[in-house]
Amino acid sequence: MAIQTLNTIKNWFRTGLKPTQAQFWDTWDSFRHKYEKIPAKDIEGIDELFGDKIIPSGQFLIFKVDPNTANELEIGDSVIGYCEGNFLSEATYYGGDTSLMSSFTNTNNSVGRIISFDYNDPNYGDFIIYELNDEVLQRAYSCGTYNGVTLMSKRPGQLEFSVEYFSASYPKTSVQWLELTPGTIIKLRDTIGDFDDSKEFIIPNEER
């Protein structure tokens, strides 16, 4: 089969014509399938873009994102490079010192946070007070929790987190039946979206 020009292919498919099998095959062979990787040598202008340039650690290739136009790194731009020993393959700049990973980390991408844990409330028993991301709060609310949010726990001696389904009123929810012991690590997880887990919270000792 052979690669054909676009004009040749168009002429095969004019109204009233019946392309042959060979012409169909040549047509498909003239285009790239989406699953095919494009060799770098076939990308026009790549030599002018990268050339033999070596990017030192702490410096980045910067890709401008609308509406940014300045000839320097701006908040929202995408970068490729190394920062604090981590390779950033497609990171967004959120502002701050470019030598710190925190400048490329969206601090508002957490599902929420656990604020406190208390024992033996007269109405709730053991309970937590927690806070959710504003976007999560837009989801449907049923059975005392927002869709997709679950509680994860790792008790002393456990190696992995377990899923703990909880329900009560927001932002205060009972976890009495979970029998969470001091030293247990808990966190919130988003099971249907792209939000990061909340920071880990350690159950304190019960005050007597």
Side-chain angles (χ1 to χ4, degrees):
M1 300 301 102
I3 295 176
Q4 303 292 341
T5 66
L6 191 57
N7 282 335
T8 297
I9 294 172
K10 286 180 177 179
N11 285 328
W12 290 341
F13 289 86
R14 291 185 180 278
T15 302
L17 298 181
K18 295 182 179 180
T20 65
Q21 175 179 295
Q23 289 172 335
F24 269 108
W25 286 1
D26 281 357
T27 298
W28 291 117
D29 285 341
S30 299
F31 299 95
R32 295 188 192 275
H33 194 277
K34 289 182 69 174
Y35 287 151
E36 288 185 65
K37 294 186 180 296
I38 301 176
K41 64 182 179 62
D42 291 347
I43 301 176
E44 184 177 354
I46 194 169
D47 290 336
E48 290 77 8
L49 179 62
F50 294 105
D52 297 325
K53 186 175 182 181
I54 296 176
I55 309 297
S57 179
Q59 296 184 19
F60 307 96
L61 287 174
I62 301 172
F63 298 86
K64 304 304 293 183
V65 175
D66 288 337
N68 295 350
T69 57
N71 191 29
E72 61 183 1
L73 182 61
E74 298 177 272
I75 293 175
D77 287 343
S78 293
V79 303
I80 296 175
Y82 271 94
C83 179
E84 292 191 296
N86 298 289
F87 179 66
L88 308 178
S89 60
E90 188 180 350
T92 299
Y93 177 59
Y94 293 101
D97 187 345
T98 56
S99 67
L100 301 176
M101 279 296 297
S102 58
S103 299
F104 303 97
T105 303
N106 186 353
T107 57
N108 294 322
N109 199 49
S110 171
V111 64
R113 66 189 182 108
I114 295 174
I115 299 172
S116 64
F117 176 95
D118 283 300
Y119 294 93
N120 302 321
D121 181 271
N123 297 316
Y124 290 87
D126 298 346
F127 69 93
I128 62 171
I129 295 177
Y130 66 109
E131 181 179 69
L132 294 176
N133 186 295
D134 288 342
E135 290 187 35
V136 177
L137 292 175
Q138 303 303 313
R139 296 178 184 172
Y141 182 82
S142 61
C143 298
T145 188
Y146 286 88
N147 287 356
V149 179
T150 191
L151 183 70
M152 309 294 294
S153 73
K154 185 166 66 174
R155 290 171 167 78
Q158 286 186 323
L159 298 179
E160 303 290 338
F161 278 92
S162 301
V163 177
E164 307 282 11
Y165 294 99
F166 64 104
S167 62
S169 58
Y170 174 79
K172 185 175 182 178
T173 183
S174 174
V175 291
Q176 177 69 27
W177 64 91
L178 300 180
E179 299 181 348
L180 300 175
T181 57
T184 297
I185 301 172
I186 58 175
K187 63 180 179 179
L188 302 172
R189 172 164 293 176
D190 180 19
T191 62
I192 63 173
D194 296 324
F195 289 104
D196 298 330
D197 291 354
S198 68
K199 289 185 178 180
E200 296 178 356
F201 182 95
I202 301 176
I203 302 295
N205 291 321
E206 183 176 3
E207 295 183 0
R208 298 186 183 279

